[in-house]
Amino acid sequence: MLTGDLRNKVDQVWNAFWSGGIANPIEVIEQITYLLFLRALDSDQTREDNKALRLKTRPVHLIPTGTDAQGRAHDDMRWSRFKNMAPADMFDVLSNQVFPFLRGLQTSGGPAAETAFARHMQGARFTIPTPGLLAKVVDLLDTIPLDDRDTKGDLYEYMLGKIASAGQNGQFRTPRHIIDLMVALTAPTPQDTICDPASGTCGFLVAAGEYLRRTYPDMLRVPAQNAHFHHGMFHGYDFDNTMLRIGSMNMVLHGVEHPAIEYRDSLSQGAAGDADAYSLILANPPFAGSLDHESTAKDLQSIVKTKKTELLFLALFLRLLKTGGRAAVIVPDGVLFGSSKAHKELRRKLVEEQKLDAVISLPGGVFKPYAGVSTAILLFTKTMSGGTDSVWFYDMLADGWSLDDKRQPLLDASLLGLQRFVDKRNQLSETEHAKNNLPDVLERWGQRSGTERDRPRTAQSFCVPKADIEANGYDLSINRYKEVVHEQVQHRAPGEILAELRALEGEIARGMGVLEGMLK
């Protein structure tokens, strides 16, 4: 949990960049990411040095020793050294030593090259424009405590939350409370292998890791589970190198040592090497856009013949999941009721050939200010043999925040997201529920095979048999099945209303006559 003091320090770092001439929020977080990596690398080197001193062995050198070709000491690249230099000297070290070192990490073959973050350093650019700004930012970052994993993770999430001007890049920030809901609905286990094929800042993977730490506190004490958690559980793909760096750092700061965050255009031909590889997919893929058939993977085209990215991503999820694997993914509403052949065929496959578990309709403004598109969460299990007997629908009307561009919280922080649901004795009141439906979604999801089957279609959630969905052409829009109760209102007779209006007009006319007489 971040204190106000820590938030203020992060705000000061952010404001320093803006006042120093760097206004692009992605560039700001990228430069902060590089500096955090350098600080962490120095901390790791200090730990290796101390361990070697205790054990009287040769230390592992994450940062090279000796001097470079220009006779400059490699030790100057350590955070603990350059943070005490004069601004001009510090600027020279980072420009001419540190960043060339970072760009060559992947090919250096040293221990530092084996880190998850180092793989994405090839295009690292130092864009801080002045020595004064660099010195100010380094001083501010040096005062932020980074020893505690939770604090490190929360701080980075807070920084990522400042990417509010991403505009057309709404995929950068899926709201954290929506991510947490999707993770809780799928309930990851220590045996899962989790993938997000459009990972961005790795929000879904981070949330899954935090869920596992909370739910299975002894997991990391089991050697096999520890190794799987740090080396094989988390997989993310993106084709933006900046996002790969930011996402990798997000995972590392949240305590995952070697996540597989890799460069990949998930829909392209030649990206089919991991079919049937994952037991859980969590994703909010790009909605807009079309691809040409030539560049799209042929095995995806065999599932659904289309150019639309939202349909191709659904086909991709089916390909990536192993049999028995499950998915929680966000889709635009058009996927649910689109009338094209590709739309209908993909929905038919989900219902008839796989097990479609649920459709959760999200409030219309949940992705503002990035986009106002209406969306839903699809939950399904890959079976390759059907299994859908009924589909659970939930009409989420509120997520705890205002649905305008400002997205202001409507409740106290303790009542937002799923926090209140942890204590079942302390449920949201009816008024609070009207502002935050998330705990109710999770509770009713747990009853989808029981009491939810008996709810009428006038309720906020209900189940629809597969036969009804088939009869409606596999339309998955909740409005197709939801029944609206119209209240009968008794109106007065028109003649009575007109007579009353004539009487009022007469009174007004008489009053106006009296007023005119007084004025004369």
Side-chain angles (χ1 to χ4, degrees):
M1 192 74 178
L2 290 186
T3 63
D5 181 54
L6 285 176
R7 289 176 186 270
N8 288 336
K9 288 179 178 179
V10 173
D11 291 342
Q12 288 174 35
V13 173
W14 204 268
N15 292 333
F17 273 104
W18 282 66
S19 61
I22 299 182
N24 182 346
I26 302 300
E27 186 177 357
V28 172
I29 193 68
E30 186 178 28
Q31 296 301 302
I32 291 174
T33 298
Y34 294 140
L35 293 174
L36 289 176
F37 176 68
L38 291 171
R39 184 174 167 188
L41 198 61
D42 182 53
S43 178
D44 290 344
Q45 184 65 69
T46 299
R47 187 170 57 249
E48 291 294 337
D49 292 344
N50 291 338
K51 184 168 72 172
L53 193 62
R54 285 196 315 271
L55 301 177
K56 297 181 180 179
T57 59
R58 294 174 63 88
V60 173
H61 292 295
L62 302 172
I63 298 173
T65 57
T67 58
D68 63 14
Q70 285 73 39
R72 296 173 296 205
H74 286 308
D75 266 0
D76 286 348
M77 295 191 295
R78 296 185 64 162
W79 178 277
S80 55
R81 290 285 294 271
F82 69 68
K83 75 174 185 178
N84 296 315
M85 293 179 179
D89 294 334
M90 186 192 306
F91 192 83
D92 179 65
V93 167
L94 265 78
S95 300
N96 299 314
Q97 280 184 270
V98 171
F99 273 77
F101 164 69
L102 293 180
R103 286 191 289 269
L105 264 181
Q106 192 167 6
T107 57
S108 68
E114 298 172 6
T115 65
F117 186 67
R119 292 200 300 269
H120 310 298
M121 282 297 197
Q122 197 166 0
R125 298 176 306 117
F126 179 58
T127 61
I128 296 176
T130 64
L133 175 59
L134 174 62
K136 186 175 182 179
V137 170
V138 168
D139 285 345
L140 288 169
L141 287 177
D142 196 54
T143 65
I144 295 176
L146 294 178
D147 297 327
D148 178 72
R149 178 187 60 81
D150 290 333
T151 301
K152 287 191 295 188
D154 289 346
L155 279 168
Y156 204 69
E157 285 290 322
Y158 181 62
M159 291 182 195
L160 291 177
K162 290 180 170 291
I163 310 179
S165 59
Q168 71 275 18
N169 298 313
Q171 71 271 24
F172 291 162
R173 291 298 299 167
T174 305
R176 181 58 190 260
H177 56 287
I178 299 298
I179 291 176
D180 288 341
L181 173 65
M182 293 167 66
V183 170
L185 291 169
T186 53
T189 71
Q191 289 73 43
D192 274 317
T193 302
I194 307 170
C195 180
D196 180 355
S199 56
T201 62
C202 293
F204 283 102
L205 300 179
V206 163
E210 296 300 295
Y211 175 92
L212 285 162
R213 287 180 185 272
R214 288 193 307 271
T215 311
Y216 303 95
D218 297 327
M219 170 186 65
L220 298 181
R221 295 192 183 96
V222 180
Q225 292 182 359
N226 184 297
H228 179 58
F229 182 88
H230 287 295
H231 297 270
M233 178 177 283
F234 301 102
H235 300 257
Y237 306 129
D238 209 295
F239 53 77
D240 184 318
N241 283 313
T242 299
M243 285 296 104
L244 289 170
R245 285 191 283 270
I246 292 172
S248 294
M249 176 57 75
N250 200 14
M251 293 295 289
V252 169
L253 290 177
H254 279 88
V256 182
E257 293 173 2
H258 293 281
I261 311 301
E262 300 173 5
Y263 182 93
R264 181 181 301 184
D265 182 350
S266 294
L267 301 180
S268 66
Q269 183 68 26
D274 52 358
D276 306 313
Y278 306 108
S279 62
L280 175 59
I281 285 179
L282 298 159
N284 175 16
F287 295 157
S290 298
L291 302 177
D292 61 83
H293 288 294
E294 295 302 317
S295 63
T296 307
K298 297 298 181 285
D299 54 345
L300 297 186
Q301 292 289 346
S302 68
I303 297 174
V304 57
K305 193 77 171 176
T306 183
K307 297 179 181 180
K308 292 191 170 294
T309 56
E310 60 265 34
L311 299 183
L312 289 168
F313 266 105
L314 273 176
L316 173 69
F317 302 150
L318 289 173
R319 189 196 71 188
L320 294 179
L321 283 172
K322 60 178 65 174
T323 302
R326 59 211 188 281
V329 299
I330 295 174
V331 297
D333 274 2
V335 170
L336 307 179
F337 55 76
S339 58
S340 74
K341 183 178 179 182
H343 281 88
K344 291 180 178 179
E345 177 60 14
L346 192 56
R347 294 197 300 265
R348 187 198 68 78
K349 286 179 179 288
L350 284 174
V351 173
E352 297 290 351
E353 298 178 12
Q354 316 300 334
K355 185 177 184 295
L356 180 60
D357 298 301
V359 179
I360 300 172
S361 176
L362 294 175
V366 75
F367 287 106
K368 287 186 175 181
Y370 312 128
V373 61
S374 295
T375 55
I377 301 171
L378 283 185
L379 293 111
F380 58 89
T381 304
K382 180 176 177 179
T383 64
M384 299 305 293
S385 59
T388 306
D389 56 352
S390 70
V391 177
W392 183 68
F393 286 83
Y394 190 103
D395 189 12
M396 190 193 299
L397 303 174
D399 69 337
W401 276 260
S402 64
L403 298 175
D404 55 17
D405 285 349
K406 293 183 178 179
R407 293 291 277 156
Q408 296 293 322
L410 301 177
L411 295 166
D412 182 79
S414 64
L415 304 178
L416 294 172
L418 296 170
Q419 294 181 48
R420 187 69 172 258
F421 189 77
V422 174
D423 186 354
K424 293 191 175 183
R425 298 166 300 175
N426 217 1
Q427 293 292 292
L428 295 179
S429 68
E430 187 174 338
T431 303
E432 291 164 346
H433 163 74
K435 297 177 181 178
N436 177 15
N437 294 170
L438 271 66
D440 189 55
V441 174
L442 189 56
E443 183 176 19
R444 294 194 189 196
W445 163 256
Q447 301 297 323
R448 65 192 181 282
S449 299
T451 55
E452 287 296 295
R453 298 289 180 104
D454 301 324
R455 286 191 187 273
R457 294 191 188 178
T458 54
Q460 193 167 11
S461 65
F462 50 85
C463 292
V464 177
K466 187 182 84 167
D468 286 10
I469 294 173
E470 183 181 0
N472 280 283
Y474 299 102
D475 191 317
L476 297 177
S477 170
I478 192 170
N479 293 327
R480 172 70 69 174
Y481 306 102
K482 190 173 180 66
E483 296 174 3
V484 180
V485 178
H486 298 283
E487 280 189 33
Q488 188 171 2
V489 180
Q490 294 291 336
H491 295 287
R492 296 161 62 193
E496 181 183 341
I497 296 172
L498 289 172
E500 186 175 324
L501 287 172
R502 282 193 293 270
L504 287 170
E505 286 176 354
E507 287 181 21
I508 293 169
R510 286 192 295 275
M512 292 295 291
V514 171
L515 182 61
E516 287 176 2
M518 291 174 65
L519 291 173
K520 290 178 180 178

